[in-house]
Amino acid sequence: MKEQFLERMKMYLKDEFSKYEKTLDEEAFRGIRINTSKIDVDEFLKLHICECYPSKICPQSFYIPQQIKSLGNHPAHIAGLFYMQEPSASSAVEVLDVKQGDWILDMCAAPGGKSTQIAAKLNHTGFLVSNEIETKRAMILMSNMERLGFSECMITNARPNDLAKEMQGWFDKVLVDAPCSGEGMFKKHQSAIEDWSVEHVEACAQRQKHILDNAYEVLKENGILVYSTCTYSMEENEEVIYDFIQKYPDMKLVDCNVSFGRTGFAYKDLDVTKVRRIFPMDQGEGHFVAKLVKQGSSNELKKKALSSSVVPSYVEDFFENQLKERPKYLLQLQDKIYIKNSPFIKLKKIHILRQGLLAGEMVKNRFEPHQHFYSAGIHQNQFLKVYDMNDDECIKYLQGNLLQVEGYKGYTALTWKHHPIAFAKGDGMVLKNKYPKGMRIR
């Protein structure tokens, strides 16, 4: 560990430094968060996926034992019933206080832990824009949103100032989980230690202030902004919030109204009793959270909705054969068909990776469905043709094998313990494998 970093932590923590230093030799906390848009907590715990110990930070978050190294190939994970997330990482969204119907922007969203947490709380209502500026990370974000089965969302790959230009005054709530020096991730990522320097901390702080400038623009009057980091430095936490409030006097720092963690570090006249810090001594790997309300007015740009697309009859036939109810809104982009519960939004210059749920693709006058259509929780009880796999069949199928199951013709939703996980195409004698090759397990 770098000596300069330890000296700074000694200055911050004073008498508690020895307790913190001891945690550096301990393994990082590990956890999962249950996706309540697909399964409630009690039902999930009855599956007995692994030992789970409740977290005080979030009701859906649980610690798991260190000896459990991977759950990525478990059917429950593939079905999107949970997300691997250390419990303190769920703190910011708990402070955001999501309500169904909210319009929310997650400005720095990859890899998707906080976006999937927000979307689960929205439960297919409102609208979530999940943005990531780095393209590769944005693709990981999209993959996680797809696996957990969300439809009322948009995944964007854009700079914060581009979002501010087109989405001014749109959002009830904005989360800025800012890129930071990652001091709380030292036990998890060796690269965070190697990259650390005071100069890097200061550079992160400047970037964070720029992102917050744009977050201010997209927030509605009386809207809520939550700022969070996974670092300990005052430059990136209390000082960023202090400077933000000085620049925007209509932004009021309010109490996070949570019992976890501890108050912030004293800085000028900032009321640090209203912000929250989490250290390893608080059963978390390191987080800072602040909550602000915009009391001034906002210039809200008009939202432009796209008309629902008129699609070929064979696409309509597909939905009629697969679902109890036709999707409310359809959008055709080239050969792909997307669906949503609410109108699609039109943007001019922002790079949209996905809006809504990718239902499938038109190929030579036929419709080929996409995995997202079947993994989405929105259709949990809507499929007309369903085959529920047992544990052995599920593993066999996820490995790329067909199922010796008679009586099913055409596209069929496959479930595991009645939770959507994949799809197949039956010929009456077998269910042919349609699980994407790149997702198959070994």
Side-chain angles (χ1 to χ4, degrees):
M1 193 62 65
K2 294 187 177 182
E3 190 61 34
Q4 191 176 18
F5 167 75
L6 294 175
E7 288 299 320
R8 285 163 57 92
M9 294 301 291
K10 189 179 295 184
M11 177 183 67
Y12 290 154
L13 292 169
K14 300 180 174 61
D15 293 343
E16 269 199 291
F17 175 74
S18 60
K19 293 181 181 178
Y20 169 74
E21 191 174 29
K22 184 180 178 181
T23 69
L24 295 176
D25 295 324
E26 300 169 354
E27 291 196 54
F29 292 102
R30 301 182 69 240
I32 61 174
R33 195 195 68 254
I34 298 165
N35 177 14
T36 50
S37 73
K38 285 195 170 187
I39 189 170
D40 64 38
V41 172
D42 289 340
E43 184 184 356
F44 179 86
L45 294 177
K46 289 176 182 176
L47 294 176
H48 301 294
I49 306 300
C50 66
E51 291 182 79
C52 295
Y53 308 96
S55 160
K56 295 180 180 179
I57 296 171
C58 168
Q60 295 81 38
S61 289
F62 291 81
Y63 298 99
I64 61 174
Q66 294 292 342
Q67 62 266 29
I68 298 174
K69 297 305 179 184
S70 177
L71 293 171
N73 286 340
H74 195 287
H77 184 264
I78 295 170
L81 304 188
F82 68 92
Y83 185 93
M84 299 295 297
Q85 183 184 53
E86 187 268 309
S88 72
S90 66
S91 58
V93 176
E94 287 303 296
V95 172
L96 193 63
D97 192 26
V98 176
K99 305 294 184 187
Q100 291 195 10
D102 282 342
W103 273 55
I104 300 178
L105 170 63
D106 185 356
M107 202 165 233
C108 315
K114 293 175 176 64
S115 271
T116 55
Q117 187 179 357
I118 292 169
K121 290 177 179 291
L122 288 173
N123 196 25
H124 309 300
T125 69
F127 193 52
L128 169 63
V129 177
S130 299
N131 181 67
E132 173 55 47
I133 192 171
E134 295 184 14
T135 303
K136 288 183 179 179
R137 286 171 54 81
M139 297 301 292
I140 295 170
L141 164 66
M142 184 170 70
S143 175
N144 281 320
M145 293 292 283
E146 178 182 303
R147 178 175 61 82
L148 272 70
F150 301 116
S151 64
E152 301 309 294
C153 57
M154 177 191 289
I155 314 298
T156 57
N157 175 210
R159 296 176 300 176
N161 58 315
D162 290 333
L163 299 175
K165 289 176 184 176
E166 292 200 50
M167 298 178 173
Q168 188 173 356
W170 278 19
F171 296 99
D172 302 293
K173 289 162 186 172
V174 175
L175 173 64
V176 175
D177 183 43
C180 66
S181 59
E183 295 170 349
M185 297 290 105
F186 280 1
K187 286 189 283 183
K188 188 175 180 181
H189 300 297
Q190 180 64 29
S191 60
I193 300 175
E194 295 169 355
D195 293 342
W196 187 90
S197 68
V198 172
E199 293 75 19
H200 180 51
V201 166
E202 292 170 347
C204 287
Q206 292 305 311
R207 179 169 56 177
Q208 291 152 2
K209 292 174 184 178
H210 171 71
I211 295 171
L212 283 173
D213 286 340
N214 293 289
Y216 176 85
E217 294 297 327
V218 301
L219 197 60
K220 287 182 177 179
E221 183 176 355
N222 298 316
I224 293 171
L225 168 64
V226 167
Y227 173 81
S228 67
T229 71
C230 58
T231 200
Y232 304 123
S233 76
M234 287 184 66
E235 294 95 327
E236 299 175 76
N237 295 322
E238 288 88 354
E239 292 184 30
V240 164
I241 292 301
Y242 179 84
D243 289 349
F244 182 64
I245 293 171
Q246 298 305 305
K247 187 172 183 178
Y248 301 100
D250 60 334
M251 293 299 300
K252 180 183 178 182
L253 182 67
V254 297
D255 199 302
C256 287
N257 197 32
V258 292
S259 59
F260 57 75
R262 58 180 71 190
T263 60
F265 296 143
Y267 184 73
K268 295 185 177 180
D269 61 349
L270 185 70
D271 186 354
V272 295
T273 64
K274 292 178 177 175
V275 305
R276 305 308 292 172
R277 278 182 171 271
I278 300 174
F279 286 87
M281 303 84 80
D282 308 315
Q283 303 300 298
E285 285 306 312
H287 261 72
F288 172 89
V289 186
K291 183 177 183 178
L292 304 102
V293 175
K294 187 174 186 177
Q295 297 182 321
S297 60
S298 292
N299 178 30
E300 183 176 350
L301 296 178
K302 186 177 180 180
K303 303 180 186 75
K304 295 182 179 179
L306 294 168
S307 299
S308 190
S309 298
V310 177
V311 297
S313 59
Y314 60 85
V315 177
E316 293 285 3
D317 291 343
F318 169 81
F319 290 126
E320 184 177 345
N321 291 331
Q322 291 290 305
L323 300 175
K324 296 176 184 177
E325 294 181 9
R326 178 190 183 276
K328 291 182 180 178
Y329 295 91
L330 305 180
L331 177 65
Q332 178 179 340
L333 293 177
Q334 296 179 334
D335 294 328
K336 292 182 171 62
I337 303 294
Y338 300 83
I339 61 178
K340 274 180 95 258
N341 289 333
S342 55
F344 288 84
I345 303 301
K346 182 180 181 180
L347 295 172
K348 294 179 180 178
K349 297 182 179 180
I350 293 174
H351 183 205
I352 301 172
L353 294 179
R354 183 170 299 175
Q355 182 175 187
L357 186 157
L358 176 53
E361 187 173 6
M362 297 178 292
V363 181
K364 297 179 180 178
N365 293 322
R366 69 179 188 277
F367 190 71
E368 294 188 356
H370 189 272
Q371 169 69 15
H372 194 189
F373 179 74
Y374 291 95
S375 68
I378 187 174
H379 294 132
Q380 188 128 352
N381 299 308
Q382 290 292 317
F383 292 117
L384 291 172
K385 291 190 289 186
V386 180
Y387 178 71
D388 191 49
M389 299 180 289
N390 61 36
D391 289 357
D392 290 341
E393 288 175 322
C394 185
I395 295 299
K396 181 180 178 182
Y397 196 82
L398 294 174
Q399 290 173 337
N401 300 297
L402 55 76
L403 298 179
Q404 297 288 345
V405 176
E406 300 180 4
Y408 290 85
K409 289 191 175 182
Y411 290 113
T412 302
L414 299 181
T415 59
W416 172 78
K417 298 187 185 299
H418 305 289
H419 296 288
I421 193 169
F423 73 108
K425 192 171 186 180
D427 63 3
M429 300 300 293
V430 298
L431 288 171
K432 297 178 181 178
N433 201 299
K434 289 293 180 179
Y435 194 59
K437 292 182 179 179
M439 298 171 64
R440 293 174 183 177
I441 65 175
R442 295 180 180 180

